[in-house]
Amino acid sequence: MELIFGLLGGLALFIFGMRTMSDGLSAAMGDGMRVILSKATRSRMAGLGLGTVIGGLIQSSASIVLFIGFINAGLMTLSQSIGPILGANIGTTLSVQLISFKLSDYCLPAIFIGLMIHMIARKRKLKYGGQAILGFGLLFLGMVFMGDSIKPHRELFEPWMAHINGSTMTGLITGTLVAALITGIIQSSGAVIGMGFAMISAGAITEFEGIYPIIIGANVGTCVTGLIGSIGTTVDARRAATTH
């Protein structure tokens, strides 16, 4: 029970931190992002670059839903959305790279500083910037909880992780499908990859072949969010979700 609640509680804290950080960054950017996006999509490379920035700030799945909403509202065409969609998938790897750094020692100061800024600041950008810092700290605190709960019980994961091995076709397919299914359920590729990082730090995964099928599956499963977000929208919006 200690393992289950520690793992699930840490995962919930990780997802909540990621959502809090994304919402804070999105709110800090404000409505100006819509204007920038409409101008940037006139050029394919500019759209790719802007999509990369947005994907790095608010995650690919959230940004894809944003683009689908723009298409559905007639603010963007299907062809204009391709560059930002590709960029969003590039950008989300940058945010995951940030998570991979060992910044867990700074999670508690980040939570305190972010909360104080969010409560005290009156300027919109500063206030929501504090929210983003708060989410950043909660995200890493969730990873700490997951890693600490796995460490004493890592031998329990060994029989399960033995089926996930990128060096064999069966292990690659199994790991990809499992990770895609979990990502589709919780709708967060970053959370699944973050859980993989926690298992590496706890010693449950010791080889690269054990993690990259999970990474591939997480990036496949994250497409579910866009597909769900396209329900009831225009044909082009649904095509954009399928393109993702």
Side-chain angles (χ1 to χ4, degrees):
M1 294 300 291
E2 181 184 356
L3 169 63
I4 292 172
F5 284 119
L7 188 59
L8 294 180
L11 179 61
L13 194 59
F14 184 97
I15 295 173
F16 179 70
M18 183 174 292
R19 298 274 174 89
T20 302
M21 182 175 67
S22 297
D23 291 345
L25 289 170
S26 181
M29 293 172 69
D31 295 333
M33 184 171 61
R34 295 175 180 266
V35 178
I36 296 172
L37 186 62
S38 62
K39 292 181 179 179
T41 50
R42 297 173 185 173
S43 166
R44 292 180 180 178
M45 291 305 297
L48 178 69
L50 184 64
T52 301
V53 173
I54 294 175
L57 292 175
I58 64 173
Q59 298 290 309
S60 64
S61 55
S63 54
I64 298 304
V65 173
L66 181 70
F67 299 147
I68 289 171
F70 286 157
I71 297 171
N72 192 55
L75 301 176
M76 182 190 297
T77 65
L78 175 63
S79 60
Q80 287 177 330
S81 72
I82 304 302
I85 286 174
L86 291 173
N89 284 282
I90 296 171
T92 195
T93 65
L94 302 178
S95 59
V96 173
Q97 180 64 50
L98 181 64
I99 296 170
S100 71
F101 296 143
K102 294 183 178 180
L103 301 176
S104 55
D105 292 341
Y106 307 100
C107 63
L108 295 179
I111 292 171
F112 175 76
I113 293 171
L115 181 62
M116 290 298 102
I117 293 174
H118 183 67
M119 292 177 62
I120 296 172
R122 295 185 177 181
K123 292 185 178 180
R124 176 186 174 87
K125 291 186 177 180
L126 190 60
K127 185 179 184 68
Y128 287 105
Q131 179 180 327
I133 296 173
L134 171 63
F136 179 80
L138 291 173
L139 181 153
F140 278 98
L141 184 60
M143 284 190 62
V144 170
F145 278 128
M146 284 192 289
D148 289 346
S149 63
I150 292 172
K151 280 180 183 178
H153 309 282
R154 57 177 178 265
E155 68 278 356
L156 297 176
F157 290 89
E158 291 178 358
W160 298 93
M161 299 309 300
H163 298 289
I164 300 176
N165 192 334
S167 61
T168 64
M169 184 58 67
T170 302
L172 176 61
I173 294 174
T174 300
T176 301
L177 291 177
V178 170
L181 178 62
I182 296 174
T183 305
I185 293 172
I186 66 177
Q187 296 189 27
S188 176
S189 60
V192 173
I193 296 174
M195 190 187 299
F197 291 157
M199 295 185 75
I200 291 173
S201 66
I205 298 177
T206 57
E207 297 180 353
F208 178 68
E209 288 78 5
I211 187 63
Y212 81 77
I214 296 175
I215 295 174
I216 294 173
N219 283 280
V220 173
T222 195
C223 298
V224 172
T225 304
L227 293 172
I228 293 174
S230 68
I231 295 174
T233 59
T234 62
V235 174
D236 279 350
R238 294 198 298 272
R239 287 173 177 169
T242 305
T243 300
H244 176 225

